């Protein structure tokens, strides 16, 4: 099958699941097809799905992944003066690392808003529908929402790395409290502990809580760097930590924290 044939097949299979989609037609435009497929994946509930669908979906997502390009974290330069740390600006879903961190919500099922730009949506969209299915099983077994500051680990499925670490950061509604700061620090510690337990040699952190959860960028970066360096110094672990930023504002903040004029 070509990529277009795979994409159309996946769209048709997802449309056939719900009677309300009966009159929805598959657009001819490639980008509109991609948007429709992603939207259908975003809103799909964690219900069983056939092996044929998963096989074609995996082939499609892996081809899309390869077309976007994969960044090998081992080739990224370390920050000046500390070989354990890396600062990298880019799309975390293109990064080949043992673990990447997803800023999740407390349901841990991904973002259900079609085409939303949050990292949770993009991670689930590019990993595949089996990620939501697995997260649903994990949460059903847990019996309650994921507490702030903790983390869960899953395979990365169709992403370049091995694992995804899902952590729920604090949501900021007003002034940042000490409790908020400790909760954010706990996100970093929980992810590092899980990574070490699973023999990860590298972990990439997104800027947890700074997007939809409104944690101030500079304070969040300070907590991230302090918590990570303290963990590494205390545990003497040989794990490489990548601080992944997407926005220029975060890049400049981390450059200042990690080396100042040496960048």
């Amino acid at each position: 099958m070509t990529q277009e044939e795979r994409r159309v097949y996946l769209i048709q299979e997802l449309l056939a699941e719900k009677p309300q989609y009966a009159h929805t037609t598959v657009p001819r435009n490639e980008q509109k097809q991609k948007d429709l497929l992603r939207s259908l994946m975003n809103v799909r509930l964690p219900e069983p799905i056939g092996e044929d669908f998963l096989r074609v979906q995996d082939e499609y997502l892996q081809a899309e992944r390869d077309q976007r390009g994969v960044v090998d974290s081992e080739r990224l330069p370390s920050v000046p003066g500390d070989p354990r740390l890396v600062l990298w600006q880019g799309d975390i879903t293109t990064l080949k690392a043992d673990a990447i961190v997803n800023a999740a919500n407390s349901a841990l099922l991904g973002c259900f808003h079609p085409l939303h730009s949050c990292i949770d949506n993009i991670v689930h969209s590019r990993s595949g529908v089996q990620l939501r299915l697995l997260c649903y099983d994990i949460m059903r077994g847990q019996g309650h929402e994921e507490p702030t500051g903790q983390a869960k680990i899953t395979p990365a499925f169709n992403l370049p790395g091995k694992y995804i670490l899902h952590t729920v950061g604090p949501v900021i509604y007003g002034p940042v409290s000490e409790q908020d700061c400790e909760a954010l620090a706990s996100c970093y510690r929980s992810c590092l502990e899980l990574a070490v337990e699973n023999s990860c040699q590298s972990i990439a952190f997104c800027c947890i809580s700074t997007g939809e959860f409104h944690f101030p960028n500079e304070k969040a970066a300070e907590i991230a760097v302090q918590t990570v360096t303290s963990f590494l110094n205390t545990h003497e672990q040989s794990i490489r930590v990548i601080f992944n930023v997407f926005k220029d504002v975060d890049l400049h903040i981390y450059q200042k924290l990690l080396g100042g004029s040496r960048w």
Side-chain angles (χ1 to χ4, degrees), residues 75-219:
R75 298 190 176 186
L76 296 176
S78 301
V79 305
D82 196 336
R84 305 170 302 176
L85 304 179
V86 174
L87 175 59
W88 179 69
Q89 183 177 28
D91 177 353
I92 200 170
T93 65
T94 67
L95 190 61
K96 183 181 179 182
D98 285 350
I100 67 166
V101 174
N102 175 35
N105 57 52
S106 59
L108 226 68
L109 297 180
C111 171
F112 282 83
H113 297 286
L115 304 179
H116 197 257
S117 61
C118 71
I119 186 174
D120 200 16
N121 187 295
I122 296 170
V123 164
H124 275 261
S125 297
R126 295 181 177 177
S127 179
V129 298
Q130 56 266 63
L131 178 58
R132 180 170 285 168
L133 293 170
L134 177 57
C135 287
Y136 176 75
D137 288 341
I138 292 171
M139 297 306 289
R140 183 175 57 178
Q142 178 167 281
H144 58 81
E145 290 191 334
E146 183 72 356
T148 301
Q150 296 187 16
K152 293 288 189 293
I153 188 168
T154 66
F157 294 106
N158 293 296
L159 297 181
K162 294 180 182 178
Y163 301 110
I164 304 169
L165 300 173
H166 308 262
T167 190
V168 182
V171 183
I172 306 302
Y173 297 103
V176 178
S177 67
E178 289 187 15
Q179 184 178 1
D180 294 325
C181 294
E182 173 51 35
L184 183 59
S186 180
C187 289
Y188 285 90
R189 285 193 298 269
S190 296
C191 288
L192 286 164
E193 289 166 358
L194 264 182
V196 170
E197 287 173 12
N198 288 273
S199 303
C200 294
Q201 297 300 305
S202 58
I203 177 174
F205 282 103
C206 63
C207 300
I208 303 167
S209 278
T210 59
E212 297 294 317
F213 287 8
H214 307 296
F215 207 107
N217 297 60
E218 190 162 358
K219 184 62 178 177

Side-chain angles (χ1 to χ4, degrees), residues 15-27:
L15 289 175
E17 288 186 327
K18 300 294 181 182
Q20 61 264 38
Y21 299 152
H23 301 293
T24 302
T25 57
V26 180

